[in-house]
Amino acid sequence: MNGQVLMFVFLFALDAVHGQASYSIPEEMSRGSSVGNIAQDLGLEIRRLISGKAKIYSRNNEDYIELNREKGALLVKERIDREALCAHTALCALHLQIILENPMEFYSVTVHIADINDNAPSFDKNELNFKLIESTNVGAKFVLERAVDLDVGINGLQNYVLKPTDHFSLKLQNNADGNKNVEMVLQKPLDREKEEQMSLVLTAVDGGEPRMSGTILILITVLDANDNAPVFTQPIYKATIAENSPVGTVVVTVSASDADGDLNSKISYSITNTRDNIRNIFVVDKEKGQVSLIGNIDFEKSRQFQINLLASDDGGLTDSCKVIIDVEDVNDNKPIINIMSKSNVVSEDAEMNTAVTMINTEDLDSAENGNVNCFINENIPFVLKSSKNNFYTLVTDGELDREKSSEYNITVTCSDEGVPSLFSSVTLNLHISDVNDNAPVFDRSSYEASVVENNTPGLSICTVKASDADWNQNARVSYILEDSSVNGVPVSSYVSVNAESGVIHAIRSFDFEQLKEFHFHVKAQDGGSPPLSSNVSVGIHIQDANDNGPQVLYPVQTSGSVLAEIVPHSADVGYLVTKVVAVDVDSGQNAWLSYKVHKATDRALFEVGLHNGEIRTVRQVTDKDAVKQRLTVVVEDNGQPSRSATVIVNVMVADSFPEVLSEFTDFNLHDKEYNDKLTFYLVLALAVVSFLFITCLLLIISVKVYRWRQSRILYHSNLPVIPYYLPRYSDTLGTGTLPHVYNYEVCRTTDSRKSDCKLDRTASHNLLVMDPTLTRTMPMRQSEKNILDEPDSPLEKQS
Ligand SMILES: *[C@@H]1O[C@H](CO)[C@@H](O)[C@H](O)[C@H]1NC(C)=O
Ligand SMILES: *[C@@H]1O[C@H](CO)[C@@H](O)[C@H](O)[C@H]1NC(C)=O
């Protein structure tokens, strides 16, 4: 276009250029402002202008300038905006032709429109929004808006200013087209945590006078980056907890904060201990930071826990802290009683302060909870002595007596000083061992027993019994017959004592008539070492048996002479003829005699007093009665069975003695001779037998004495002496291995004037008759044998 304008100007210049004028006016002049005096400048008269109907021709019908013909002046017709007219063209001019008619003339007028600074630089938008992550690197560039200034030249856009400049700086880069690229460069790291929003102002300024400027607001939002680690409020947390606290107890709550926002500040807590058992005992709430118990804590195992806690945000940044938990002791452990050494048995003669048991106590708790005191049950002869280091010794504290208390259950109780206190106990079973401190004690202070005479040897008479309060061997009582003598004979030949059972046996058959009672001592001795003993007196009473028949003392039965009682014819009824006098060596009932007439020449003439043995006439004697009357009187004792003797009483019924004599001599002469001879032989035989018997007896007694001495030596050597009774006694009677039966000899003094010994066999021929059934059963057999007999002796004497 400029080219076209130039071409026109050039054309005019060729054709009819008469003159030129050039003006320069600033833009934006008000209407009517004068541009220039054209008339004058072109050398034209006003008339001509008028006549020539001068008018302005503008190629583009631009109507900015008008021509005032009357004044010959060019005036601003319309506001001229250079920017609208020429935009960025630096030289802006209006090319006008003033055309005149009659004649046609034209003149070129150029009106230069000078720029004035009427436009401020401006931006398209009011604001620019940026969202920058805070981790954006320094040096990052951000392209900004360019401003536009319609003015040109100096009035055009000259510079930009960015404020504030603490984070960003402005960088202008000249483009090829002459424009500038506006960039801001991050100079300093962003920190959302300090400044989340930033507003900057970019100002574009021109160079006009006055300067004009345009601004744009730059809003920067800093986006969070996880650039902040969580931070615990304390580096170390401390807490205490009692042991045995229940599961779930909250121990402590930790807290960490994270300066980041949103997700980047979401903290989770965790325990990082790995080696120890912490994770089995404690747990931390991931979100709340509560450290609580999930296991048991035992002061006795650990007194302190150190938990390493980690707080981490989602971005993986972390902080750690330590939680120190002190455990408080609770009295949860009973004292433990250890028996260090123990004797189960203590002798009853143990001295005071004999140690029986040693114990040691332990308590896992500490302080008062672990202070232990021990004691034992009361009223026992023991005491618990305490020594250092929780050692205790149980010692005897008094006399022990197994016989009173053979066993003690000693309960040792140990308690600690905690509140409440805990205790434990142990029972010691202690036996008291026996010492031979008790002698055997007999059941009774003395024993009395009776035995019926003529007993069988070996008969058990009675039993003595002693008991010993001691135990076992110390209480094992043996019975020993104490040496003594009865009528000069050792008591051991009368009785024996069974050492174990205490049964007293008769060794021989007793004869009441010889021995009514005897006493001896039995010793009871225990098996202790040394043995203890005691003795008791035993009295044996021999009871009478009816073993003796009555013996008739009167009338005297002689072989030589026959006595007769004389009854005169004149005798009255009740006349006392004679009195049968009999005795019985037995006693009591056995000796209570009664008299009866067994046979009589004339039963009606005499009677005998039942108890007094008096023979009296029953009726008057007459001449018809025989002169010789013979009465057989039976004397009977009252024993069971009874024994009796018979006596023949001759009675002469005569008035004078010679009468009687002549009657008797005839029937006695023959007998007398025969009897004298027999008596001689018998005496001789008896002497021989007696001699032999005494010789044997002496021999045996000497053997026996020898053996007895031997046994005394044995006895003193403390060997157990256990007398026992030979069972052979019963055998001899039962089987008859010693079948001899001693002849019972009756030696009788028939008269004080005449000493005579007769076999009863011979007596049957005389007046005195012994009942053979009674004598046969006399139980005096083997009486001597007992003396001779000896346990181990092969010698069995038969006399
Ligand atoms: C001691 O204890 C034992 C066993 O418990 C029991 O048999 C015995 O009778 C007790 N002794 C005493 C003297 O209490
Ligand atoms: C029996 O024992 C008493 C003491 O109890 C004693 O004095 C006496 O001598 C003893 N007698 C015999 C025979 O041992």
Side-chain angles (χ1 to χ4, degrees), residues 381-439:
F382 295 93
V383 74
L384 196 61
K385 285 196 174 166
S386 151
S387 48
K388 279 179 203 163
N389 300 334
N390 292 330
F391 278 93
Y392 291 87
T393 315
L394 182 69
V395 297
T396 57
D397 183 39
E399 296 217 330
L400 302 176
D401 187 358
R402 190 203 67 84
E403 286 72 39
K404 271 189 203 148
S405 190
S406 67
E407 183 190 33
Y408 289 96
N409 288 334
I410 303 165
T411 304
V412 180
T413 306
C414 295
S415 59
D416 60 28
E417 293 173 4
V419 178
S421 156
L422 295 176
F423 72 94
S424 52
S425 63
V426 66
T427 298
L428 307 166
N429 183 252
L430 185 67
H431 289 269
I432 308 300
S433 69
D434 189 42
V435 164
N436 192 23
D437 55 354
N438 285 284

Side-chain angles (χ1 to χ4, degrees), residues 133-136 192-193 222-228 260-261 264:
I133 191 151
E134 60 178 323
S135 59
T136 306
R192 188 201 65 82
E193 288 71 37
V222 182
L223 298 180
D224 187 41
N226 190 24
D227 55 347
N228 283 286
D260 293 327
N264 290 331

Side-chain angles (χ1 to χ4, degrees), residues 203-223:
T203 309
V205 289
D206 59 19
E209 191 68 34
R211 287 181 178 237
M212 298 188 77
S213 61
T215 56
I216 184 166
L217 189 64
I218 300 169
L219 289 176
I220 296 173
T221 307
V222 182
L223 298 180

